[in-house]
Amino acid sequence: MHSHYHSRWLFFFILYYFPLCSTYWPLFLLFFYILSPIPYCISRRVVDDTDSASNACKELAIFLTTGIVISAFGLPIVFARADVIAWGACALVLTGNIVIFGTILGFFLVFGSNDDFSWQQW
Amino acid sequence: MSGFLDGIRCGDCECNVDWGERRNTIASIAAGVLFFTGWWIIIDAAVIYPEEENFHHAYHTCGVIATVAFLMINAVSNGQVRGDSYSEGCMGQTGARVWLFIGFMLAFGSLIASMWILFGGFVVPQKHVVYPGIAIFFQNAFIFFGGLVFKFGRTEDLWQ
């Protein structure tokens, strides 16, 4: 879990460049970061059949998660094209995105693939 | 910390990725990328050209109808349409087929309407700013293909 926390700190250092540019609009991305694991977690809790290869609820959750990830990349680009933030700041935010989503994905790959997903693990 | 590189084995990845099982996941991800990219394209165009004269606000209807069509197409499973699912649902097999038909009509209609908007609303009048028309076209194209990928890219076989 330590690498998980260190990458979060790296992200926060990247994101705190924004007070230098005196704009806080990119902090709306935090909404997307918090929202991104939720569909998959809900689908894991609601549907328990790991036997079947197709699972409509899990696929819907993956679809929504992909949408949240795309939105987290699209929002800074739209901000930069509208000159709300500078392109350099946009590049920093996109790098932070990659780190954060890589962390979340790595977390789910390492810790999430259990048959017995229960809250007791926490 | 000594010896922390001892555990690294290069090229010994035991990722037994069965691409058959992953097909549904890959199709869902591809459909998600397409669908949401389409919406972010139109958000970008709306942010850059907020005035009515550059981007007539009624043109947003096309993307909304395309999204409704996406939801309609993917709301019915192939099993319901074939008639070999356990429960009949609200309307039965015929109802599922009518629903799917209307969904596809709306999807194709919105795709054609986006082309019409691009050419009839932006190219032919030789408007100074054409980007909103292109954005509408790409939005609807991406949503349409995202819907197709989500519908037909996934398999519903329970056992493979």
Side-chain angles (χ1 to χ4, degrees):
Chain A
M1 291 287 278
H2 287 289
S3 68
H4 175 67
Y5 286 135
H6 287 161
S7 57
R8 300 265 181 175
W9 279 114
L10 173 64
F11 155 68
F12 282 121
F13 282 131
I14 288 173
L15 203 55
Y16 285 163
Y17 281 118
F18 294 107
L20 298 176
C21 313
S22 64
T23 174
Y24 294 92
W25 285 107
L27 288 179
F28 275 105
L29 281 172
L30 289 176
F31 173 71
F32 289 125
Y33 296 148
I34 294 169
L35 217 57
S36 62
I38 291 177
Y40 189 65
C41 288
I42 291 177
S43 79
R44 290 282 295 270
R45 301 271 289 169
V46 164
V47 182
D48 271 330
D49 53 342
T50 51
D51 295 334
S52 63
S54 82
N55 186 352
C57 195
K58 183 181 122 182
E59 286 150 19
L60 179 65
I62 290 174
F63 176 80
L64 293 176
T65 307
T66 312
I68 291 168
V69 170
I70 295 289
S71 300
F73 281 97
L75 188 65
I77 293 176
V78 171
F79 279 151
R81 282 173 56 87
D83 292 326
V84 172
I85 64 175
W87 279 101
C90 172
L92 284 174
V93 175
L94 293 182
T95 311
N97 271 354
I98 295 173
V99 171
I100 277 288
F101 287 125
T103 307
I104 294 175
L105 179 67
F107 177 73
F108 273 103
L109 285 178
V110 170
F111 294 107
S113 53
N114 292 319
D115 291 334
D116 194 29
F117 186 74
S118 68
W119 290 109
Q120 292 167 0
Q121 290 173 337
W122 298 87
Chain B
M1 203 174 109
S2 63
F4 71 95
L5 284 176
D6 289 344
I8 293 182
R9 280 179 215 90
C10 297
D12 197 29
C13 173
E14 290 182 355
C15 30
N16 299 321
V17 177
D18 183 5
W19 292 107
E21 273 185 16
R22 300 293 178 125
R23 176 184 159 176
N24 283 5
T25 309
I26 293 171
S28 306
I29 293 174
V33 167
L34 287 171
F35 180 83
F36 285 96
T37 304
W39 271 105
W40 277 99
I41 289 174
I42 204 68
I43 290 172
D44 180 56
V47 165
I48 293 178
Y49 298 108
E51 314 88 22
E52 182 81 18
E53 59 182 13
N54 281 333
F55 187 170
H56 189 45
H57 295 331
Y59 293 152
H60 284 289
T61 316
C62 204
V64 172
I65 300 284
T67 303
V68 169
F70 175 96
L71 295 174
M72 284 181 75
I73 290 172
N74 287 299
V76 294
S77 64
N78 288 328
Q80 291 267 345
V81 173
R82 278 196 302 264
D84 57 12
S85 66
Y86 293 118
S87 68
E88 278 274 299
C90 290
M91 302 175 290
Q93 182 186 356
T94 311
R97 289 177 173 175
V98 168
W99 180 269
L100 193 67
F101 175 71
I102 294 175
F104 271 113
M105 265 191 353
L106 291 177
F108 278 103
S110 63
L111 182 67
I112 293 168
S114 71
M115 295 181 201
W116 189 355
I117 287 172
L118 169 61
F119 289 107
F122 287 89
V123 172
V124 168
Q126 291 176 335
K127 290 189 81 131
H128 182 62
V129 171
V130 191
Y131 176 64
I134 298 174
I136 292 170
F137 170 67
F138 276 111
Q139 175 207 13
N140 285 280
F142 279 145
I143 293 176
F144 177 75
F145 286 113
L148 285 190
V149 167
F150 201 59
K151 177 75 180 163
F152 296 114
R154 300 180 298 152
T155 173
E156 287 174 12
D157 294 333
L158 292 180
W159 297 278
Q160 290 180 335

